[in-house]
Amino acid sequence: MVSEDGATTMFNTTFVRPEKFYLGGFSNMPHIKYYYVFLCFVYIVTVLGNVSLLSLICRVKTFHTPKYMIVFNLALTDLCGSTALIPKLLDTFLFDRRYIVYEACLSSLFFVFFFGSVQSWTLVTMAYDRFIAICFPLRYHSIVTKPAIGAMLMFVWIFMTCAFAVMVGLLDRLSFCGSVVINNIFCDHGPLYRLACNDPTLNYIVGFVLFIIIVCIPLLLIAVSYVCISIALSRTASGEERLRALKTCTSHLILVTIFFLPVIVTNIAGLAFYIHTNARIINSSLTHIISALLNPFIYTLKTEEVLTAIKKLWKRNRQINIATKW
């Protein structure tokens, strides 16, 4: 039960807002410190990879195009999403600071889900870019412009900000008069609203709707775009041209698989059979961080333009270093 100094009663005696929540994840897990070391490694590599990609796009003028605006947005949200989750997670469990202030809990929830949702719709924008490039190549530069892509990405940021502000606002109306133990490693939406003493039906509905908006609709739009791409290639392209066009989609398809597959598998598995709490928590944390870790490397290694630009920058810097030594 909530102690008197751990909760503030507002409006009336039935509404209780706890001062802090307790994050109960990773309980009784052997050798868990190895996982914390792994998370440290993941975060360092994620920061280095995404910052390097962001710097490359800023420095190389040929990358100042609508296509690389989308890549820049993905790298930025990957970086911000990992920063919203991993440092706080390490601080909480590595140093045993499991209590989190009420307001900080809601803020953490907002940013983790917000950046994840922007990543999802950035992948949709990438699919749109590939769809126009392959299905309407002659009109590509007139349709996919900087203002158009900028407007699409800006709409995603604004819409998702409003959507998750509503979600957090609905959580703030709940009364937590019983347990304050969140059975997860961060302030997850489901485990949090299930602690409420009053009716959380509206929270469940909003969570379900946001799941459809973040996962189901983006997957459907990406699938439709690739069906259209496949039809266009089968009708108009030779075998060699078809292979070349598909190569331009490889990076995006890998990114989509890495981002969406763990989410789908986790949700289907959770409905089909019982998953141990610790296994579910680890899988959930990996779902949030692995795509941000791998995205910059996949895009770099699978995109010839990026590899060429890296080689040119490396040669230029090497020549400058040699010149300065002499």
Side-chain angles (χ1 to χ4, degrees):
M1 299 297 290
V2 180
S3 60
E4 290 182 3
D5 59 345
T8 303
T9 305
M10 300 179 62
F11 306 123
N12 56 56
T13 56
T14 63
F15 186 90
V16 179
R17 175 178 294 170
E19 181 183 342
K20 296 178 182 179
F21 286 106
Y22 182 85
L23 297 173
F26 293 149
S27 58
N28 301 319
M29 282 190 66
H31 312 299
I32 190 60
K33 288 192 176 180
Y34 293 111
Y35 187 64
Y36 300 148
V37 173
F38 170 73
L39 288 179
C40 287
F41 171 77
V42 166
Y43 183 64
I44 292 169
V45 176
T46 298
V47 171
L48 291 175
N50 284 287
V51 168
S52 298
L53 185 56
L54 291 170
S55 302
L56 184 69
I57 294 171
C58 290
R59 291 182 64 183
V60 180
K61 290 185 178 180
T62 55
F63 289 165
H64 296 177
T65 62
K67 175 183 174 181
Y68 284 97
M69 282 178 65
I70 304 171
V71 177
F72 185 94
N73 191 73
L74 182 64
L76 179 63
T77 52
D78 283 341
L79 179 63
C80 294
S82 293
T83 302
L85 179 63
I86 299 179
K88 180 58 182 174
L89 189 154
L90 291 172
D91 178 67
T92 298
F93 295 100
L94 193 58
F95 300 104
D96 198 25
R97 298 170 181 167
R98 290 175 175 261
Y99 282 99
I100 181 170
V101 177
Y102 177 87
E103 291 78 9
C105 181
L106 295 187
S107 298
S108 172
L109 181 148
F110 174 86
F111 286 112
V112 169
F113 281 99
F114 169 75
F115 287 117
S117 66
V118 175
Q119 289 173 36
S120 175
W121 279 94
T122 302
L123 292 173
V124 175
T125 312
M126 278 187 172
Y128 169 76
D129 173 79
R130 292 299 85 205
F131 166 73
I132 299 297
I134 294 172
C135 296
F136 305 99
L138 299 178
R139 298 177 58 193
Y140 176 78
H141 292 291
S142 62
I143 296 175
V144 182
T145 61
K146 284 185 179 181
I149 295 299
M152 290 173 67
L153 295 176
M154 184 62 69
F155 174 78
V156 169
W157 281 71
I158 294 173
F159 178 82
M160 291 304 168
T161 299
C162 296
F164 287 102
V166 170
M167 186 181 78
V168 170
L170 290 173
L171 284 172
D172 196 41
R173 56 175 274 281
L174 296 177
S175 177
F176 300 93
C177 57
S179 174
V180 292
V181 178
I182 300 173
N183 196 19
N184 210 326
I185 55 173
F186 72 104
C187 293
D188 199 357
H189 182 248
L192 184 56
Y193 78 69
R194 291 189 186 98
L195 297 177
C197 299
N198 50 344
D199 185 13
T201 302
L202 191 56
N203 301 83
Y204 170 80
I205 294 171
V206 169
F208 181 73
V209 170
L210 286 175
F211 177 79
I212 293 174
I213 292 173
I214 297 168
V215 178
C216 301
I217 295 177
L219 265 178
L220 179 63
L221 292 175
I222 292 169
V224 168
S225 69
Y226 275 101
V227 168
C228 294
I229 287 171
S230 301
I231 293 171
L233 290 176
S234 65
R235 288 178 177 176
T236 61
S238 66
E240 186 178 343
E241 290 173 336
R242 193 178 303 133
L243 184 61
R244 193 185 310 120
L246 288 174
K247 280 184 178 180
T248 66
C249 302
T250 304
S251 299
H252 178 250
L253 287 171
I254 295 173
L255 299 182
V256 169
T257 302
I258 291 172
F259 183 84
F260 287 104
L261 186 61
V263 177
I264 294 170
V265 169
T266 301
N267 283 275
I268 292 175
L271 293 173
F273 50 85
Y274 172 76
I275 302 175
H276 191 275
T277 302
N278 288 333
R280 178 179 54 79
I281 289 172
I282 288 179
N283 190 51
S284 175
S285 64
L286 291 176
T287 299
H288 280 88
I289 65 177
I290 290 299
S291 62
L293 168 69
L294 297 178
N295 284 354
F297 299 101
I298 291 170
Y299 205 91
T300 299
L301 296 174
K302 297 296 291 184
T303 307
E304 193 172 337
E305 292 172 294
V306 178
L307 285 173
T308 303
I310 292 172
K311 289 175 184 177
K312 286 182 179 179
L313 279 176
W314 184 79
K315 287 180 181 178
R316 188 189 307 166
N317 291 333
R318 187 181 178 186
Q319 290 171 353
I320 292 171
N321 290 332
I322 292 172
T324 53
K325 287 180 181 179
W326 286 97

